[in-house]
Amino acid sequence: MNINRIRTCGFIAMLVTFICVVISCDTWYSYCFNIHNYTSDSIEIKTTPLISSYKLQIHNFIIRNTGEQGFSEYIEHPIDTVYAIPPKATLSASIGWYSHHSASFVPEKDGVIPLWKTLTSISSNGRKTASSIWDNESKWRKKITNANTGIEYELDIEETMYTHD
């Protein structure tokens, strides 16, 4: 065998390896469901048990006074079904996975149970929001993020959404 043929075979082997690596690369896809509490009271969110791969974060980085600190509470693999969201804070429930298949960005088709299907109530000080405020996808703002690899759903809770029991 001549040296040029060996080099050519080596080059082809490296090229095939490179192509296989590039083609088989997995992409990170994610869904994030955000509930923003724009009220002046804490709100209580009740859910059915969340799937264990959800990650929750309650955060508030709105600085209202000099010296005031924002906060963030992070819960991985939540088992609770009741969450308190302080005033002017956000609850974020996210789920993500690696795949070499493109996401459909329809939660159920991607194997994701959307947060609006797990919510059972949203209340504050004995007042409840009507489930029609949050019970289907059309009630949430949808935004595709991260170069078409992530999707965010946003729900705003405001004082005017409550009824009295």
Side-chain angles (χ1 to χ4, degrees):
M1 252 182 155
N2 75 28
I3 194 77
N4 288 335
R5 188 169 179 159
I6 293 172
R7 285 183 183 158
T8 303
C9 288
F11 175 75
I12 291 173
M14 287 186 342
L15 182 62
V16 167
T17 301
F18 174 76
I19 290 171
C20 288
V21 168
V22 170
I23 290 174
S24 68
C25 285
D26 288 341
T27 302
W28 178 257
Y29 294 101
S30 65
Y31 280 84
C32 185
F33 302 92
N34 296 313
I35 300 175
H36 305 287
N37 178 6
Y38 288 120
T39 72
S40 55
D41 294 314
S42 289
I43 61 174
E44 181 179 85
I45 305 291
K46 291 184 180 178
T47 70
T48 59
L50 295 176
I51 56 175
S52 64
S53 53
Y54 264 106
K55 293 174 178 56
L56 291 181
Q57 185 171 15
I58 298 173
H59 50 90
N60 174 10
F61 292 102
I62 301 169
I63 306 301
R64 293 178 292 271
N65 302 312
T66 306
E68 183 178 13
Q69 296 293 314
F71 64 87
S72 183
E73 178 183 353
Y74 179 73
I75 307 162
E76 190 167 348
H77 308 300
I79 57 171
D80 292 335
T81 60
V82 179
Y83 304 96
I85 306 174
K88 312 299 185 223
T90 298
L91 177 134
S92 295
S94 61
I95 188 168
W97 68 97
Y98 283 103
S99 177
H100 61 274
H101 300 289
S102 294
S104 70
F105 296 120
V106 175
E108 292 88 346
K109 286 185 180 178
D110 289 329
V112 173
I113 300 169
L115 198 58
W116 57 82
K117 288 198 173 183
T118 67
L119 289 174
T120 58
S121 74
I122 298 175
S123 62
S124 177
N125 294 329
R127 303 172 300 157
K128 291 186 176 183
T129 62
S131 62
S132 61
I133 299 289
W134 44 262
D135 65 355
N136 67 63
E137 182 177 5
S138 67
K139 310 300 171 132
W140 298 63
R141 289 185 316 279
K142 180 179 179 179
K143 175 174 67 171
I144 296 177
T145 62
N146 301 331
N148 294 327
T149 63
I151 192 159
E152 287 184 9
Y153 286 95
E154 309 278 336
L155 180 68
D156 298 336
I157 302 297
E158 299 173 2
E159 295 284 349
T160 58
M161 297 177 167
Y162 289 102
T163 59
H164 292 280
D165 288 339

